[in-house]
Amino acid sequence: MIALTLREIADAVGGALVLRGADASPDTTVDGTVTTDSREIAPGDVFFAKRGEFDDGHRFAPAAAQQGAALLVVEHELDLDVPQIVVDDSVIALGALATSVVARVRAAGDLKIVGVTGSNGKTTTKNLLRAVLERVGPTVAARASYNNEVGGPITMLALEADTKYLVAEMGASGVGEIARLVRMARPDIGIVLKVGLAHAGEFGGIEQTVRAKSEMVTDLLPSDVAVLNVDDPRVAPMAALTKARVLTFGLGANADVRATDVVVHARGTEFTVHVPGGESASVRFGVLGEHHVMNALATVAASVELGVGLSDVVAALESVTLAERWRMQVMGGRDGITVINDAYNASPDSMSAALKTLAQVKAPGTRTIAVLGEMSELGEFSGEEHDRIGLLAVRLGVSQLVVVGQGARRLHITAINEGSWDGESAFVETSDEAYELVVASARPGDTVLVKSSNAAGLRHLGDRLGEWFS
């Protein structure tokens, strides 16, 4: 975080400063990392004591103090010998501090901010943008999927005085959450990747999901840029909702930034990218899966808008071989057996894309095994979407389907009810059972996909299988 005095922080969050500690004064400067996790505290850091659904961060404030926290932001004064700022709501205070820090850095320098949202692809696109932008200037981007009301501000608070680019991943589980993050960061470029059924149960339906994602562009200024997926019928109409200049990306000829000659293979994806002005370039993209081409196109669009040369953008894209751990992560290798661990999260769109990639990358004469778990947070759409994935697995000719957990059992039932299928489906209750089944049944040359929502926990199964077949 940029250096601020205790008084400045208290003013920013609207809290009461409590001076504890022998040397504390309102003018004491703090410039450490901001976190809500006491385990991450190092000397000089700032700890926000956040109340959670199952625990209370105030319980961990003593540990934060013991590890050298320079400041505690709390909802009631604690008997600890550390300066404290008492606020009504620590999460709201966290956002207020982030808003202040972003405004200060922007006013003092030439900071440019890119906001990224969508039902799928946020983290991948954020990582690709970081790979591009850190080549041309100091860049801050979220770690992992820090994209909610806590993770978003923590990312923003990592800004330093010389930061040139901030890539802010913005997720939501309800209407209004992206708008709050947008008000904190005020993006110069707002990207909307895709609107699908991910978290539709939490949003209350697809219409509410569209409304929430559109919050990325509705408050952009005429001087800003809205980067929109023109291939998505739910995203393209957002062009009418923004005052910003619109730049589109997609595979169709009507896209401003587009890809042609897309070829998918086991080493990644090759395509030609075209940008406004007639310039084009060939890209050998090492991230597995044709669906990631759209994330690459969004990255190209935003990067070129920020003045990065196309050749530099392509070089950065080609340097990335893994979007993120547990996202189309290629593992294994023994006896020609490949494990694709894509079990960080799952929605109907990403599940479909992963299965299609599995079918595309398998070598002739070899088999495919799909180990699939539940797609969570789909609400009323859950049954029909699991049915659809079961049918897709059959129609893609998956050789062996292994369905894990009661939440995904309907997928298994739908698949075995398709009489024309030459493959087979097995249902197991646990990851351990799935592991034993795959280890016993895999043959040389097989390609194994592991895919589920994060809550199903299959990412660790993917790690186990990758290690076994390494």
mmCIF file of all heavy atoms in Angstrom, residues 6 17-28 65 68-72 77-85:
data_model
loop_
_atom_site.group_PDB
_atom_site.id
_atom_site.type_symbol
_atom_site.label_atom_id
_atom_site.label_comp_id
_atom_site.label_asym_id
_atom_site.label_seq_id
_atom_site.Cartn_x
_atom_site.Cartn_y
_atom_site.Cartn_z
ATOM 1 N N LEU A 6 -1.699 7.300 10.075
ATOM 2 C CA LEU A 6 -2.862 6.741 10.772
ATOM 3 C C LEU A 6 -4.056 7.684 10.667
ATOM 4 O O LEU A 6 -5.197 7.241 10.511
ATOM 5 C CB LEU A 6 -2.516 6.469 12.233
ATOM 6 C CG LEU A 6 -1.481 5.375 12.496
ATOM 7 C CD1 LEU A 6 -1.196 5.273 13.999
ATOM 8 C CD2 LEU A 6 -1.959 4.037 11.962
ATOM 9 N N LEU A 17 -9.790 6.812 15.569
ATOM 10 C CA LEU A 17 -8.418 6.362 15.793
ATOM 11 C C LEU A 17 -8.162 6.188 17.283
ATOM 12 O O LEU A 17 -8.387 7.107 18.075
ATOM 13 C CB LEU A 17 -7.444 7.371 15.195
ATOM 14 C CG LEU A 17 -5.954 7.089 15.389
ATOM 15 C CD1 LEU A 17 -5.560 5.752 14.771
ATOM 16 C CD2 LEU A 17 -5.126 8.231 14.789
ATOM 17 N N VAL A 18 -7.692 5.005 17.658
ATOM 18 C CA VAL A 18 -7.331 4.701 19.044
ATOM 19 C C VAL A 18 -5.828 4.465 19.065
ATOM 20 O O VAL A 18 -5.327 3.497 18.480
ATOM 21 C CB VAL A 18 -8.071 3.455 19.564
ATOM 22 C CG1 VAL A 18 -7.645 3.146 20.996
ATOM 23 C CG2 VAL A 18 -9.578 3.657 19.472
ATOM 24 N N LEU A 19 -5.098 5.371 19.718
ATOM 25 C CA LEU A 19 -3.644 5.270 19.733
ATOM 26 C C LEU A 19 -3.197 4.368 20.868
ATOM 27 O O LEU A 19 -3.339 4.700 22.041
ATOM 28 C CB LEU A 19 -3.030 6.660 19.881
ATOM 29 C CG LEU A 19 -3.257 7.591 18.684
ATOM 30 C CD1 LEU A 19 -2.712 8.980 18.995
ATOM 31 C CD2 LEU A 19 -2.593 7.014 17.436
ATOM 32 N N ARG A 20 -2.700 3.221 20.520
ATOM 33 C CA ARG A 20 -2.110 2.295 21.490
ATOM 34 C C ARG A 20 -0.692 1.990 21.032
ATOM 35 O O ARG A 20 -0.408 1.946 19.837
ATOM 36 C CB ARG A 20 -2.930 1.003 21.569
ATOM 37 C CG ARG A 20 -4.249 1.153 22.334
ATOM 38 C CD ARG A 20 -5.047 -0.131 22.274
ATOM 39 N NE ARG A 20 -6.197 -0.110 23.171
ATOM 40 C CZ ARG A 20 -6.245 -0.705 24.365
ATOM 41 N NH1 ARG A 20 -5.176 -1.342 24.806
ATOM 42 N NH2 ARG A 20 -7.329 -0.645 25.093
ATOM 43 N N GLY A 21 0.176 1.730 21.967
ATOM 44 C CA GLY A 21 1.578 1.509 21.646
ATOM 45 C C GLY A 21 2.396 2.719 22.019
ATOM 46 O O GLY A 21 1.930 3.872 21.910
ATOM 47 N N ALA A 22 3.608 2.500 22.448
ATOM 48 C CA ALA A 22 4.435 3.559 23.018
ATOM 49 C C ALA A 22 4.719 4.692 22.043
ATOM 50 O O ALA A 22 4.750 5.864 22.429
ATOM 51 C CB ALA A 22 5.751 2.957 23.527
ATOM 52 N N ASP A 23 4.941 4.379 20.779
ATOM 53 C CA ASP A 23 5.382 5.394 19.827
ATOM 54 C C ASP A 23 4.284 5.841 18.871
ATOM 55 O O ASP A 23 4.551 6.589 17.928
ATOM 56 C CB ASP A 23 6.567 4.853 19.010
ATOM 57 C CG ASP A 23 7.742 4.482 19.898
ATOM 58 O OD1 ASP A 23 7.964 5.197 20.894
ATOM 59 O OD2 ASP A 23 8.425 3.477 19.590
ATOM 60 N N ALA A 24 3.074 5.408 19.068
ATOM 61 C CA ALA A 24 2.008 5.709 18.110
ATOM 62 C C ALA A 24 1.579 7.159 18.196
ATOM 63 O O ALA A 24 1.441 7.731 19.278
ATOM 64 C CB ALA A 24 0.815 4.799 18.353
ATOM 65 N N SER A 25 1.364 7.767 17.021
ATOM 66 C CA SER A 25 0.811 9.118 16.943
ATOM 67 C C SER A 25 -0.038 9.185 15.679
ATOM 68 O O SER A 25 0.098 8.340 14.791
ATOM 69 C CB SER A 25 1.926 10.157 16.893
ATOM 70 O OG SER A 25 2.418 10.293 15.575
ATOM 71 N N PRO A 26 -0.900 10.180 15.568
ATOM 72 C CA PRO A 26 -1.709 10.294 14.343
ATOM 73 C C PRO A 26 -0.871 10.405 13.076
ATOM 74 O O PRO A 26 -1.344 10.091 11.984
ATOM 75 C CB PRO A 26 -2.527 11.560 14.583
ATOM 76 C CG PRO A 26 -2.598 11.683 16.067
ATOM 77 C CD PRO A 26 -1.277 11.196 16.576
ATOM 78 N N ASP A 27 0.384 10.852 13.233
ATOM 79 C CA ASP A 27 1.247 11.043 12.070
ATOM 80 C C ASP A 27 2.143 9.833 11.785
ATOM 81 O O ASP A 27 2.989 9.888 10.888
ATOM 82 C CB ASP A 27 2.114 12.279 12.258
ATOM 83 C CG ASP A 27 1.275 13.544 12.316
ATOM 84 O OD1 ASP A 27 0.298 13.634 11.552
ATOM 85 O OD2 ASP A 27 1.580 14.418 13.150
ATOM 86 N N THR A 28 1.964 8.766 12.555
ATOM 87 C CA THR A 28 2.707 7.534 12.271
ATOM 88 C C THR A 28 2.343 7.032 10.874
ATOM 89 O O THR A 28 1.172 6.947 10.513
ATOM 90 C CB THR A 28 2.379 6.447 13.305
ATOM 91 O OG1 THR A 28 2.756 6.904 14.605
ATOM 92 C CG2 THR A 28 3.096 5.148 12.979
ATOM 93 N N ALA A 65 -1.422 -8.971 15.853
ATOM 94 C CA ALA A 65 -0.594 -8.054 16.645
ATOM 95 C C ALA A 65 0.740 -8.691 17.007
ATOM 96 O O ALA A 65 1.797 -8.048 16.929
ATOM 97 C CB ALA A 65 -1.355 -7.649 17.904
ATOM 98 N N GLY A 68 3.313 -8.579 14.320
ATOM 99 C CA GLY A 68 3.888 -7.284 13.959
ATOM 100 C C GLY A 68 2.980 -6.346 13.203
ATOM 101 O O GLY A 68 3.462 -5.382 12.584
ATOM 102 N N ALA A 69 1.663 -6.566 13.225
ATOM 103 C CA ALA A 69 0.755 -5.642 12.544
ATOM 104 C C ALA A 69 0.953 -4.225 13.055
ATOM 105 O O ALA A 69 1.063 -3.994 14.258
ATOM 106 C CB ALA A 69 -0.692 -6.084 12.752
ATOM 107 N N ALA A 70 0.987 -3.275 12.123
ATOM 108 C CA ALA A 70 1.161 -1.873 12.500
ATOM 109 C C ALA A 70 -0.165 -1.200 12.813
ATOM 110 O O ALA A 70 -0.188 -0.152 13.465
ATOM 111 C CB ALA A 70 1.863 -1.123 11.374
ATOM 112 N N LEU A 71 -1.262 -1.816 12.365
ATOM 113 C CA LEU A 71 -2.581 -1.216 12.551
ATOM 114 C C LEU A 71 -3.649 -2.301 12.483
ATOM 115 O O LEU A 71 -3.568 -3.201 11.639
ATOM 116 C CB LEU A 71 -2.852 -0.166 11.462
ATOM 117 C CG LEU A 71 -4.267 0.425 11.412
ATOM 118 C CD1 LEU A 71 -4.558 1.245 12.669
ATOM 119 C CD2 LEU A 71 -4.433 1.280 10.160
ATOM 120 N N LEU A 72 -4.634 -2.197 13.372
ATOM 121 C CA LEU A 72 -5.809 -3.059 13.334
ATOM 122 C C LEU A 72 -7.027 -2.195 13.011
ATOM 123 O O LEU A 72 -7.223 -1.156 13.643
ATOM 124 C CB LEU A 72 -6.032 -3.754 14.677
ATOM 125 C CG LEU A 72 -4.851 -4.510 15.297
ATOM 126 C CD1 LEU A 72 -5.256 -5.071 16.663
ATOM 127 C CD2 LEU A 72 -4.380 -5.623 14.364
ATOM 128 N N GLU A 77 -13.103 -1.721 20.032
ATOM 129 C CA GLU A 77 -11.733 -1.616 20.528
ATOM 130 C C GLU A 77 -11.313 -2.901 21.219
ATOM 131 O O GLU A 77 -12.086 -3.523 21.961
ATOM 132 C CB GLU A 77 -11.615 -0.438 21.482
ATOM 133 C CG GLU A 77 -10.188 -0.159 21.940
ATOM 134 C CD GLU A 77 -10.097 1.070 22.830
ATOM 135 O OE1 GLU A 77 -11.085 1.845 22.890
ATOM 136 O OE2 GLU A 77 -9.034 1.245 23.467
ATOM 137 N N LEU A 78 -10.066 -3.299 20.970
ATOM 138 C CA LEU A 78 -9.513 -4.514 21.555
ATOM 139 C C LEU A 78 -8.404 -4.155 22.535
ATOM 140 O O LEU A 78 -7.715 -3.139 22.377
ATOM 141 C CB LEU A 78 -8.956 -5.428 20.455
ATOM 142 C CG LEU A 78 -9.956 -5.882 19.380
ATOM 143 C CD1 LEU A 78 -9.237 -6.675 18.295
ATOM 144 C CD2 LEU A 78 -11.077 -6.703 19.990
ATOM 145 N N ASP A 79 -8.223 -5.007 23.528
ATOM 146 C CA ASP A 79 -7.195 -4.779 24.539
ATOM 147 C C ASP A 79 -5.853 -5.294 24.018
ATOM 148 O O ASP A 79 -5.314 -6.285 24.492
ATOM 149 C CB ASP A 79 -7.582 -5.477 25.844
ATOM 150 C CG ASP A 79 -6.633 -5.117 26.988
ATOM 151 O OD1 ASP A 79 -5.918 -4.104 26.857
ATOM 152 O OD2 ASP A 79 -6.617 -5.867 27.990
ATOM 153 N N LEU A 80 -5.344 -4.605 23.012
ATOM 154 C CA LEU A 80 -4.088 -4.974 22.383
ATOM 155 C C LEU A 80 -3.236 -3.721 22.226
ATOM 156 O O LEU A 80 -3.766 -2.628 21.956
ATOM 157 C CB LEU A 80 -4.325 -5.614 21.006
ATOM 158 C CG LEU A 80 -5.095 -6.937 20.999
ATOM 159 C CD1 LEU A 80 -5.476 -7.313 19.569
ATOM 160 C CD2 LEU A 80 -4.270 -8.041 21.642
ATOM 161 N N ASP A 81 -1.929 -3.864 22.366
ATOM 162 C CA ASP A 81 -1.013 -2.733 22.369
ATOM 163 C C ASP A 81 -0.599 -2.367 20.941
ATOM 164 O O ASP A 81 0.589 -2.320 20.609
ATOM 165 C CB ASP A 81 0.213 -3.080 23.221
ATOM 166 C CG ASP A 81 0.963 -1.834 23.668
ATOM 167 O OD1 ASP A 81 0.327 -0.764 23.763
ATOM 168 O OD2 ASP A 81 2.173 -1.949 23.929
ATOM 169 N N VAL A 82 -1.603 -2.123 20.103
ATOM 170 C CA VAL A 82 -1.392 -1.796 18.691
ATOM 171 C C VAL A 82 -2.387 -0.699 18.320
ATOM 172 O O VAL A 82 -3.537 -0.733 18.773
ATOM 173 C CB VAL A 82 -1.634 -3.031 17.788
ATOM 174 C CG1 VAL A 82 -1.413 -2.671 16.322
ATOM 175 C CG2 VAL A 82 -0.746 -4.189 18.190
ATOM 176 N N PRO A 83 -1.992 0.294 17.500
ATOM 177 C CA PRO A 83 -2.962 1.293 17.050
ATOM 178 C C PRO A 83 -4.167 0.635 16.380
ATOM 179 O O PRO A 83 -4.023 -0.351 15.653
ATOM 180 C CB PRO A 83 -2.158 2.137 16.054
ATOM 181 C CG PRO A 83 -0.737 1.967 16.471
ATOM 182 C CD PRO A 83 -0.633 0.564 16.981
ATOM 183 N N GLN A 84 -5.342 1.210 16.647
ATOM 184 C CA GLN A 84 -6.570 0.644 16.096
ATOM 185 C C GLN A 84 -7.441 1.758 15.533
ATOM 186 O O GLN A 84 -7.414 2.882 16.017
ATOM 187 C CB GLN A 84 -7.341 -0.111 17.191
ATOM 188 C CG GLN A 84 -6.565 -1.269 17.792
ATOM 189 C CD GLN A 84 -7.192 -1.813 19.062
ATOM 190 O OE1 GLN A 84 -8.414 -1.938 19.159
ATOM 191 N NE2 GLN A 84 -6.350 -2.137 20.037
ATOM 192 N N ILE A 85 -8.195 1.402 14.502
ATOM 193 C CA ILE A 85 -9.228 2.295 13.990
ATOM 194 C C ILE A 85 -10.544 1.552 14.115
ATOM 195 O O ILE A 85 -10.702 0.447 13.573
ATOM 196 C CB ILE A 85 -8.966 2.706 12.530
ATOM 197 C CG1 ILE A 85 -7.681 3.533 12.442
ATOM 198 C CG2 ILE A 85 -10.152 3.500 11.977
ATOM 199 C CD1 ILE A 85 -7.262 3.885 11.040
#
